[in-house]
Amino acid sequence: MVEVFIVDDQGPFRAAARRLVGLVAGWRVVGEAVSGEEALARVAEARPEVILMDINLPGISGIEATRRIVDEHPGISVVLVSTYAAEDLPPEARTCGAAGYIRKDHLTPSRLREFLPAA
């Protein structure tokens, strides 16, 4: 079972992402957070394999939260999600240690499967 943690400050997106993860065989949501700080506090307890991380969050950004999570938990794959076109991503998004980026309107079960942890 691939365990997924969702970080986004918008409830409707978290609900949609939760439903989407449920469509991927063998994947399940193990937690959610509405800020980078909350994600940092809860990830060690939830122990997900994949995190869907919004870039724009209240408090510390998703990019900074990703950098800290990857440093503290190197086995976790963090996938950045946002509404940016890939070419418009902030430069730090490419250097924060994220496993990749998916534009929110391109988030599908097949795109999620691209981030299956290595066996």
Side-chain angles (χ1 to χ4, degrees):
M1 185 66 62
V2 176
E3 297 183 332
V4 180
F5 195 91
I6 300 167
V7 185
D8 198 290
D9 59 328
Q10 297 179 19
F13 178 79
R14 286 194 316 277
R18 197 170 39 251
R19 284 190 299 275
L20 187 73
V21 168
L23 296 174
V24 181
W27 287 48
R28 71 181 178 126
V29 173
V30 294
E32 298 179 16
V34 298
S35 69
E37 291 87 351
E38 184 182 5
L40 290 169
R42 298 195 56 223
V43 161
E45 178 185 321
R47 302 177 64 189
E49 294 168 85
V50 176
I51 298 175
L52 298 178
M53 177 77 72
D54 187 22
I55 290 177
N56 295 311
L57 295 168
I60 66 169
S61 72
I63 292 171
E64 180 58 25
T66 296
R67 186 180 327 280
R68 293 182 193 183
I69 288 168
V70 169
D71 284 347
E72 294 174 21
H73 309 279
I76 296 176
S77 294
V78 181
V79 179
L80 296 174
V81 294
S82 192
T83 57
Y84 291 106
E87 61 272 9
D88 295 330
L89 283 172
E92 311 83 52
R94 301 180 203 295
T95 60
C96 67
Y101 172 71
I102 301 176
R103 190 171 159 155
K104 284 184 176 180
D105 59 351
H106 296 158
L107 191 61
T108 63
S110 63
R111 288 298 315 269
L112 282 179
R113 284 186 198 99
E114 292 176 20
F115 298 97
L116 277 170

